[in-house]
Amino acid sequence: VENAPIISDAEYDRLYRELIAFEEAHPEWIMPDSPSQRIGGEAVEGFTKVEHPQQILSLASVTNLEGIVAWRDRIAKLDERVMNADYVIEPKIDGLTIVVHYENGVLARGVTRGNGIIGEDITANVRTIRSVPLRLRESATPYPERLVVRGEAFITLEEFKKLNEKMAANGEKTYQNPRNTAAGSLRQLDPALTASRPLTWYCYSVIDHSGEVPGTQWERLGLLREWGFPVSDFSTWAKDLDEVLAICEDRIPRREELTFEADGIVIKLNDLSLRESLGIVGKDPRGALALKYPAREEITVLNEIRTNVGRTGVITPYAVLEPVDVGGVTVQHATLHNFDYINDKDIREGDRVVIKRAGDVIPYIVGPVLSARKEDSEAYTIPATCPSCGSPLENVEGEVAYYCVNTACPAQLVRNLEHFVSLSAMNIEGLGIKIVEQLAEEGLVNDIADLYQLDPADLLALEGFGEKKVEKLMAAIQASKAQPLARLLNGLGIRGVGEVMAADLVSYFGSLDAL
Ligand code: IVH
């Protein structure tokens, strides 16, 4: 209700499914205050309460294609017409339900979902959303005198990015995610504030109407478009279940193409009278289903904040997490970027934190769940010394970074060697991170130049080294002497001298001696 969840949607869904399974097996266990016994959250105070003309339903969900087949088989047992049914497929936009009433084609009222039976009148705010028509369009099929439609209000990914850039530029706090921002924007008591937020709205069902309206979802979506409602182009018709499965299979990986955040795909029986006759379970109609995308946001415990030493001595904090599955990948570590980031967000050890993994990006911490914070938690303090060599850290005036300035710091040596032998520098084959660490640890290499003074006999004495391996490694090190000068310069890891600068220096000076 307050849009401040203390567990992730994915965790909620998982627990909810588990609960339903228990309750199905043991109906005598159902408690009057079980989440399955209530329709949704309570409406909060501040706006006028409005009763919906019909219950605003939710959707049962599955996480894979087998779940869709199982759903169809289940409802086919209740009504054999299901076996020959066609379907409509829609995006499951991750926003907020808004129910909009039209009288004689004019917007009369906009209402939140509330608890599904009673919502809040946010008409003034809804009016500010440009994609919500204030007046319906005349068309060959006239709109009914009274029409109540349901849709999803949201903020597109691009608008969200722009909004946050604006906030950051003004030195204001940035928003966590599009959904919470949309939710917060809609419950502003001052509509001028709502108007300043880039909200969009897509419409996907008719809740109530006077007169005649076609009896299929697909025809209705077509008419809604004709009457001027925004309907997602992602919506499509499927002639049977095989086509539904094929479309889902095609669309799951195409999530990235969407301009808005979607948390799944909605599959609906096209025939609305068939859907009606199948009835509802709790708050979910039997005739529609959500296929959920793997979640990319999770909540877990931050056990410890540790630091890494970079090649230039820069200290970067990272989080050690209670391992958690985020969309099929187990996440144990997440970047914390820099110390300012930790302090701005007031991230503390022991906090429950929201972590996000988007595409290939390294998981990062969105922020702490403040309502779940332990009373004895303490704000994070920036370490005074290097985690590797223990020398005091230095902060350069005007820079966010803290540095270990000890040139003999072992962690820096390893990072430097790693960089020197890497693909974009000297590209020494067979000299990976493990071996570099081993050489540094054994004291065989104390700086880059030592690589070229290695004694094969010393290498042979190391664990895991045989004749062949030593021979190959020595040859690769020798071969690296033939690399172009720019690679050597880049490899030295001088702050400010990367690939491009190195190439520029070489083209200007021509030789190492001249340089
Ligand atoms: S249909 C059968 N269609 O998903 C009526 N819901 O319902 C049940 N949602 O919070 C809802 N896109 O706001 C339906 N194309 C779509 C949807 C959609 C997003 C949201 C809806 C609700 C949740 C579950």
Side-chain angles (χ1 to χ4, degrees):
V1 172
E2 294 178 339
N3 297 300
I6 61 164
I7 62 169
S8 69
D9 290 356
E11 198 175 348
Y12 180 92
D13 286 351
R14 208 158 49 230
L15 291 168
Y16 192 80
R17 272 195 293 272
E18 196 183 342
L19 173 72
I20 297 302
F22 278 132
E23 293 184 346
E24 262 165 17
H26 302 277
E28 74 277 15
W29 288 359
I30 301 178
M31 316 265 292
D33 62 350
S34 162
S36 67
Q37 303 302 298
R38 83 153 118 206
I39 305 301
E42 294 301 323
V44 295
E45 285 171 16
F47 295 100
T48 315
K49 310 262 191 290
V50 183
E51 192 166 340
H52 293 298
Q54 259 202 55
Q55 189 181 343
I56 302 305
L57 299 172
S58 189
L59 286 171
S61 66
V62 296
T63 54
N64 53 38
L65 299 184
E66 291 77 55
I68 301 176
V69 179
W71 162 70
R72 192 276 312 265
D73 292 348
R74 216 163 44 238
I75 58 173
K77 279 196 196 127
L78 301 172
D79 192 323
E80 60 190 14
R81 284 179 295 169
V82 168
M83 287 315 283
N84 300 312
D86 58 340
Y87 301 82
V88 171
I89 293 176
E90 299 168 11
K92 188 168 183 314
I93 303 168
D94 196 10
L96 290 107
T97 287
I98 301 289
V99 178
V100 194
H101 299 232
Y102 287 84
E103 277 159 24
N104 297 310
V106 177
L107 186 151
R109 199 177 241 182
V111 186
T112 65
R113 178 176 186 277
N115 64 9
I117 293 168
I118 293 170
E120 291 173 312
D121 189 327
I122 53 161
T123 309
N125 291 344
V126 170
R127 269 179 201 288
T128 70
I129 306 173
R130 290 189 176 198
S131 55
V132 176
L134 294 177
R135 180 184 285 277
L136 302 185
R137 224 182 272 151
E138 304 293 337
S139 88
T141 316
Y143 48 75
E145 259 175 50
R146 191 170 50 79
L147 177 67
V148 181
V149 295
R150 173 181 184 174
E152 199 80 356
F154 61 98
I155 295 178
T156 65
L157 292 170
E158 199 190 329
E159 290 292 352
F160 181 70
K161 205 174 130 206
K162 276 201 256 171
L163 181 65
N164 261 351
E165 280 165 3
K166 205 171 82 190
M167 298 303 282
N170 294 339
E172 288 171 271
K173 239 185 135 105
T174 53
Y175 295 103
Q176 279 202 355
N177 63 50
R179 189 184 184 280
N180 289 2
T181 312
S185 304
L186 279 167
R187 37 181 72 251
Q188 294 293 333
L189 288 165
D190 175 7
L193 268 171
T194 311
S196 72
R197 307 279 170 78
L199 291 161
T200 313
W201 182 74
Y202 272 153
C203 178
Y204 53 74
S205 44
V206 174
I207 294 293
D208 198 21
H209 60 86
S210 58
E212 292 290 307
V213 166
T216 68
Q217 172 72 359
W218 190 236
E219 281 173 290
R220 285 187 178 188
L221 288 182
L223 275 180
L224 287 170
R225 264 204 197 95
E226 274 184 40
W227 295 334
F229 289 103
V231 174
S232 167
D233 291 334
F234 199 81
S235 305
T236 186
W237 177 78
K239 68 173 190 299
D240 56 22
L241 195 79
D242 284 340
E243 202 166 285
V244 167
L245 297 176
I247 292 171
C248 288
E249 197 154 29
D250 170 55
R251 291 205 174 164
I252 294 166
R254 286 174 54 198
R255 182 183 190 181
E256 318 299 331
E257 288 171 28
L258 297 172
T259 54
F260 46 83
E261 203 130 62
D263 58 345
I265 298 171
V266 185
I267 301 140
K268 299 175 175 174
L269 285 174
N270 190 25
D271 181 342
L272 294 164
S273 65
L274 175 56
R275 213 201 281 177
E276 181 89 12
S277 77
L278 283 165
I280 60 175
V281 195
K283 51 184 175 164
D284 308 328
R286 283 200 183 84
L289 186 75
L291 169 68
K292 284 279 202 113
Y293 287 136
R296 290 161 157 177
E297 227 178 70
E298 267 294 350
I299 292 177
T300 190
V301 177
L302 193 176
N303 286 328
E304 198 188 338
I305 296 175
R306 286 193 202 153
T307 52
N308 259 328
V309 188
R311 177 161 65 77
T312 55
V314 66
I315 308 293
T316 1
Y318 67 96
V320 182
L321 306 164
E322 199 54 44
V324 62
D325 185 296
V326 188
V329 175
T330 303
V331 175
Q332 302 193 50
H333 298 123
T335 176
L336 287 164
H337 307 293
N338 55 54
F339 296 120
D340 272 8
Y341 189 80
I342 301 178
N343 289 333
D344 286 351
K345 306 225 165 202
D346 188 19
I347 297 166
R348 304 177 179 192
E349 289 181 331
D351 273 351
R352 281 176 77 77
V353 289
V354 179
I355 59 168
K356 191 158 182 155
R357 188 179 67 83
D360 294 332
V361 181
I362 307 165
Y364 67 97
I365 292 189
V366 177
V369 181
L370 291 177
S371 52
R373 175 168 281 168
K374 296 211 188 79
E375 264 176 38
D376 59 356
S377 96
E378 280 172 33
Y380 177 76
T381 46
I382 298 171
T385 56
C386 171
S388 169
C389 67
S391 342
L393 299 185
E394 283 183 20
N395 177 221
V396 182
E397 192 64 56
E399 260 190 65
V400 290
Y402 279 71
Y403 290 94
C404 166
V405 293
N406 172 17
T407 49
C409 172
Q412 283 180 62
L413 171 65
V414 172
R415 296 284 102 77
N416 260 311
L417 288 169
E418 250 169 49
H419 173 67
F420 184 79
V421 304
S422 72
L423 209 65
S424 69
M426 298 299 267
N427 191 15
I428 304 181
E429 248 175 89
L431 200 47
I433 298 179
K434 280 260 150 62
I435 297 182
V436 164
E437 276 173 355
Q438 204 178 357
L439 295 178
E441 239 164 68
E442 298 289 337
L444 292 180
V445 173
N446 295 306
D447 63 25
I448 284 168
D450 284 352
L451 283 175
Y452 293 92
Q453 245 101 79
L454 279 172
D455 184 342
D458 288 339
L459 290 178
L460 265 176
L462 294 181
E463 206 187 297
F465 279 80
E467 297 263 0
K468 266 256 162 60
K469 188 166 168 179
V470 172
E471 223 168 85
K472 264 197 167 158
L473 188 57
M474 293 304 291
I477 292 172
Q478 287 309 308
S480 72
K481 291 183 178 174
Q483 291 285 21
L485 178 56
R487 281 177 170 266
L488 173 68
L489 288 182
N490 177 30
L492 293 178
I494 302 163
R495 212 186 293 173
V497 184
E499 267 179 282
V500 176
M501 174 67 83
D504 284 351
L505 288 172
V506 171
S507 78
Y508 184 83
F509 288 100
S511 75
L512 188 57
D513 286 339
L515 176 59

